[in-house]
């Protein structure tokens, strides 16, 4: 589910600010949109002591995030994604990510174009619940 939150964070930030928050590229894999090279990213966070890897493809955060690294627009995006997560939960976000035009109209293992950012359905999801 973390990969879906990364996707929505970057695409929402691009939608509002014209640039992604992380600079990652995304591909539509079997389980939804995923950042390119996501495994080495998570492995680096585990080896640096930021995350602990659990058995069920989940992670436990071991440090407090340093939010001073983010500007106000980035913090606003992160807050929106947190609210989105709290509202829908991981399973519904998983399902929604598979319905996104960005996921459906990009060939597997090709990179999703950020032009699809204008069509992500975060706000529509909030209004429908």
């Amino acid at each position: 589910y973390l990969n879906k939150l990364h996707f929505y964070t970057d695409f929402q930030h691009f939608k509002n600010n014209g640039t992604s928050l992380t600079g990652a590229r995304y591909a539509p894999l079997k389980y939804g949109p995923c950042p390119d090279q996501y495994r080495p990213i998570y492995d680096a966070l585990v080896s640096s002591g930021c995350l602990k890897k659990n058995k069920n493809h989940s992670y436990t955060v071991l440090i407090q995030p340093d939010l001073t690294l983010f500007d106000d627009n980035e913090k606003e995006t992160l807050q929106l994604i947190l609210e989105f997560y709290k509202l829908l939960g991981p399973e519904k976000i998983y399902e929604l990510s598979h319905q996104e035009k960005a996921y459906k109209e990009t060939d597997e293992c090709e990179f999703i174009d950020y032009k699809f950012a204008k069509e992500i359905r975060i706000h529509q999801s909030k209004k429908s619940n």
Side-chain angles (χ1 to χ4, degrees), residues 12 16 75-85 122-123 126:
Q12 180 65 39
N16 291 342
K75 289 177 187 175
E76 185 178 311
T77 299
L78 293 171
Q79 185 62 41
L80 176 66
I81 299 303
L82 178 60
E83 292 169 12
F84 177 62
Y85 175 78
I122 289 176
H123 294 296
K126 289 178 79 168

Side-chain angles (χ1 to χ4, degrees), residues 1-33:
Y1 304 114
L2 189 55
N3 287 333
K4 288 21 156 206
L5 294 176
H6 285 173
F7 167 77
Y8 279 113
T9 298
D10 272 336
F11 276 69
Q12 180 65 39
H13 196 74
F14 190 92
K15 180 179 183 177
N16 291 342
N17 300 285
T19 184
S20 71
L21 199 143
T22 69
R25 298 183 301 177
Y26 292 81
L29 303 181
K30 179 180 178 182
Y31 296 108

Side-chain angles (χ1 to χ4, degrees), residues 14-117:
F14 190 92
K15 180 179 183 177
N16 291 342
N17 300 285
T19 184
S20 71
L21 199 143
T22 69
R25 298 183 301 177
Y26 292 81
L29 303 181
K30 179 180 178 182
Y31 296 108
C34 291
D36 187 34
Q37 301 297 318
Y38 68 92
R39 286 187 180 126
I41 295 168
Y42 296 145
D43 290 346
L45 291 168
V46 169
S47 66
S48 68
C50 296
L51 296 177
K52 176 186 171 198
K53 187 173 184 178
N54 300 323
K55 291 182 181 181
N56 58 350
H57 301 287
S58 68
Y59 295 86
T60 301
V61 178
L62 300 176
I63 63 167
Q64 287 293 322
D66 181 1
L67 297 178
T68 65
L69 299 171
F70 301 100
D71 67 27
D72 289 342
N73 290 330
E74 292 167 335
K75 289 177 187 175
E76 185 178 311
T77 299
L78 293 171
Q79 185 62 41
L80 176 66
I81 299 303
L82 178 60
E83 292 169 12
F84 177 62
Y85 175 78
K86 287 179 180 178
L87 180 70
L88 295 181
E91 291 84 10
K92 286 191 180 188
I93 290 173
Y94 176 89
E95 291 171 16
L96 184 63
S97 73
H98 286 251
Q99 298 168 13
E100 294 290 353
K101 192 172 183 179
Y103 178 77
K104 292 178 2 177
E105 293 190 9
T106 304
D107 291 334
E108 188 171 3
C109 297
E110 293 292 322
F111 292 120
I112 298 172
D113 194 315
Y114 272 93
K115 71 179 181 185
F116 289 109

